């Protein structure tokens, strides 16, 4: 059930029987020449919404902005500094804790948020001893990981991956057109935003999103939902 589709008495009633919630976080950033800017937010919120229905829990609205300074040389990217991101996530978690939520599973859609999420959790824990938080990247559970490897192997790459593009194809029909793409950038490291663009000229990191299909996207979504649902149930039971 979506929190933003609930009334406060409904939330109060739910809290009497269950104190867990899902919080999707994403990013608005370039995803190669064919991928949508909202890829990380669309995927994280779709996975979290479906998990919430599956296990009958609440899901908070997605935070659509992440730590994405390195993508700022591509138009449309909207980046938060790590400090702003941590403040926004921290305030959200403090709000949830004040109402009595005790377990928050963050469903993350953007790898660049991971370090900041860890820092927020470590900072909040001493101040809010009843609250426990965990973050999961939706594509890293056992089922999703195995499926990504079977479907795409090394052509999955690291950014604007065929798996995340496939999921958005399933979620936003007709917006992504398969195109034949040249070789992606394959550098091992990068510096600032302009260096990223110099090394990965079309935004992709070693990925081939032209392999993505709607059918793959539906399968990946289902796999990710099963992974995250399993983790959520274990997390709230612990
Ligand atoms: Ni992404």
């Amino acid at each position: 059930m979506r929190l933003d589709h609930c009334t406060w008495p409904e939330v109060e009633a739910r809290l009497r029987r269950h104190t867990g919630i899902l919080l999707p976080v994403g990013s608005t950033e370039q995803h190669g020449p064919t991928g949508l800017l909202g890829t990380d937010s669309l995927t994280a919120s779709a996975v979290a919404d479906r998990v919430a229905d599956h296990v009958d829990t609440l899901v908070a609205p997605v935070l659509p902005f992440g730590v994405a300074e390195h993508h700022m040389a591509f138009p449309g990217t909207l980046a938060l500094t790590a400090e702003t991101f941590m403040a926004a996530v921290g305030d959200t978690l403090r709000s949830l804790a004040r109402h009595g939520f005790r377990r928050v599973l963050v469903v993350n859609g953007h790898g660049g948020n991971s370090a900041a999420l860890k820092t927020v959790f470590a900072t909040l824990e001493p101040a809010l001893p009843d609250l426990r938080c965990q973050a999961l990247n939706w594509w890293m559970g056992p089922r999703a990981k195995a499926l990504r490897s079977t479907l795409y192997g090394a052509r999955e790459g690291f950014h604007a991956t065929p798996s995340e593009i496939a999921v958005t194809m399933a979620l936003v029909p007709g917006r992504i057109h398969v195109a034949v793409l040249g070789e992606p950038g394959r550098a091992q490291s990068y510096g600032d935003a302009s260096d990223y663009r110099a090394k990965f000229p079309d935004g992709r990191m070693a990925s081939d999103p032209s392999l993505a299909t709607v059918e793959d996207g539906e399968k990946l979504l289902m796999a990710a939902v099963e992974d995250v649902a399993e983790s959520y149930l274990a997390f709230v039971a612990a």
Side-chain angles (χ1 to χ4, degrees):
M1 181 75 185
R2 286 172 52 151
L3 179 83
D4 61 351
H5 288 185
C6 288
T7 62
W8 73 258
E10 286 171 336
V11 175
E12 193 169 73
R14 273 185 174 263
L15 276 164
R16 276 186 221 113
R17 56 183 174 85
H18 183 70
T19 55
I21 189 166
L22 296 152
L23 170 63
V25 301
S27 182
T28 300
E29 64 181 45
Q30 71 84 12
H31 270 77
T34 55
L36 305 181
L37 286 152
T39 297
D40 294 349
S41 303
L42 291 163
T43 52
S45 86
V47 170
D49 285 354
R50 284 161 174 75
V51 171
D53 287 344
H54 199 65
V55 303
D56 187 26
T57 195
L58 284 173
V59 55
V62 66
L63 176 64
F65 307 120
V67 183
E69 169 59 33
H70 54 295
H71 293 302
M72 279 300 288
F74 297 91
T77 298
L78 308 175
L80 299 183
T81 63
E83 290 69 30
T84 309
F85 176 79
M86 290 191 288
V89 173
D91 284 355
T92 307
L93 294 173
R94 266 187 289 273
S95 301
L96 291 170
R98 227 163 114 175
H99 302 312
F101 288 98
R102 296 288 173 257
R103 299 284 181 275
V104 183
L105 184 71
V106 174
V107 180
N108 183 29
H110 173 50
N113 294 337
S114 295
L117 287 169
K118 270 192 194 143
T119 306
V120 179
F121 299 166
T123 312
L124 276 181
E125 260 170 33
L128 300 167
D130 292 333
L131 181 71
R132 284 188 45 219
C133 304
Q134 204 177 81
L136 278 184
N137 294 336
W138 67 259
W139 63 95
M140 287 301 284
R143 295 170 187 83
K145 217 169 153 178
L147 187 54
R148 290 192 298 123
S149 157
T150 308
L151 290 170
Y152 310 122
R155 295 168 86 187
E156 168 78 346
F158 305 101
H159 182 68
T161 62
S163 57
E164 59 181 342
I165 303 303
V167 172
T168 59
M169 287 169 88
L171 295 174
V172 192
R175 270 301 296 139
I176 298 171
H177 304 285
V178 176
V180 178
L181 302 170
E183 274 300 294
R186 294 188 187 279
Q188 298 296 312
S189 63
Y190 55 86
D192 62 6
S194 58
D195 186 51
Y196 182 103
R197 185 152 178 172
K199 286 176 172 157
F200 308 99
D202 71 3
R204 294 176 296 148
M205 293 178 84
S207 68
D208 186 357
S210 70
L211 300 174
T213 67
V214 174
E215 293 70 30
D216 288 357
E218 278 157 4
K219 283 186 211 155
L220 283 157
L221 196 50
M222 211 182 295
V225 168
E226 283 179 35
D227 286 339
V228 175
E230 193 173 84
S231 296
Y232 179 80
L233 291 173
F235 175 57
V236 296

